[in-house]
Amino acid sequence: MKISKQLIKAQQYLRSGFYSKAIEILNKHLKIFPNDLSGLLIRGEVNLRSEQFELALADYAKVVELDSKNILALNNFSVALIRCNRNREAKEIIDYILELDPGNLGGFINLGKVCQALGEYQLAVNSSMRAIQIDPQSSLAYLNLGTAVGAL
């Protein structure tokens, strides 16, 4: 998939923390190409990083509507749901991610986090252990594991 110069510029603004400039470019782009997955994913990430969670949810929902198996959008959608304390919805999406991709590190890390929030500590431990099996260097997996074990 070829990415336009405008989207590359928006990504540069995103990486530099100039979120309003990135949003300006992305909004113009998406006005012309409303179903552009790359534009929606980048704008979702800008909104997620700038803590505009409801806007991020809308962008990721649109991507998933257009491509129901887009793992990146699903992972980021679950993160935005977690940040909005919509943990049951996040868990459903994470379960779907892990159905599509049983070795998805982000899915297991997010599942560990969401299970802790739901008081499902043993499942949080199991999810964190699975994440560590996938990536023994994952500091987030170890952090989730320590928190979950401490809550048992």
Side-chain angles (χ1 to χ4, degrees):
M1 174 188 333
K2 188 176 178 183
I3 190 163
S4 75
K5 290 180 182 178
Q6 289 300 89
L7 293 183
I8 291 170
K9 188 71 171 166
Q11 284 180 317
Q12 291 170 341
Y13 282 133
L14 166 64
R15 285 190 211 109
S16 300
F18 296 111
Y19 301 135
S20 61
K21 289 185 180 204
I23 287 292
E24 184 180 322
I25 291 170
L26 292 162
N27 286 343
K28 286 178 185 176
H29 176 82
L30 290 166
K31 192 170 193 172
I32 299 166
F33 306 104
N35 293 331
D36 180 62
L37 296 181
S38 295
L40 289 164
L41 284 167
I42 297 166
R43 189 173 68 181
E45 186 175 351
V46 172
N47 285 323
L48 192 59
R49 287 191 189 185
S50 61
E51 299 186 353
Q52 299 296 317
F53 303 123
E54 294 298 331
L55 294 174
L57 288 171
D59 287 330
Y60 294 132
K62 176 82 175 195
V63 173
V64 171
E65 177 186 316
L66 297 168
D67 178 5
S68 65
K69 296 181 180 181
N70 188 306
I71 299 292
L72 176 60
L74 290 164
N75 266 324
N76 288 348
F77 193 33
S78 71
V79 169
L81 287 168
I82 291 167
R83 297 295 302 267
C84 291
N85 292 315
R86 293 168 55 182
N87 295 308
R88 293 225 180 271
E89 292 171 79
K91 189 170 186 270
E92 289 176 19
I93 293 196
I94 295 164
D95 288 341
Y96 179 60
I97 292 166
L98 294 173
E99 183 181 308
L100 293 173
D101 181 7
N104 187 280
L105 176 64
F108 281 107
I109 288 172
N110 292 336
L111 184 60
K113 186 180 295 186
V114 91
C115 287
Q116 287 180 58
L118 295 171
E120 300 172 7
Y121 300 112
Q122 188 58 55
L123 185 53
V125 167
N126 295 347
S127 299
S128 299
M129 291 296 293
R130 182 68 181 107
I132 291 167
Q133 287 176 338
I134 294 167
D135 181 3
Q137 304 300 313
S138 173
S139 58
L140 287 175
Y142 282 103
L143 179 64
N144 281 353
L145 179 61
T147 305
V149 167
L152 283 176

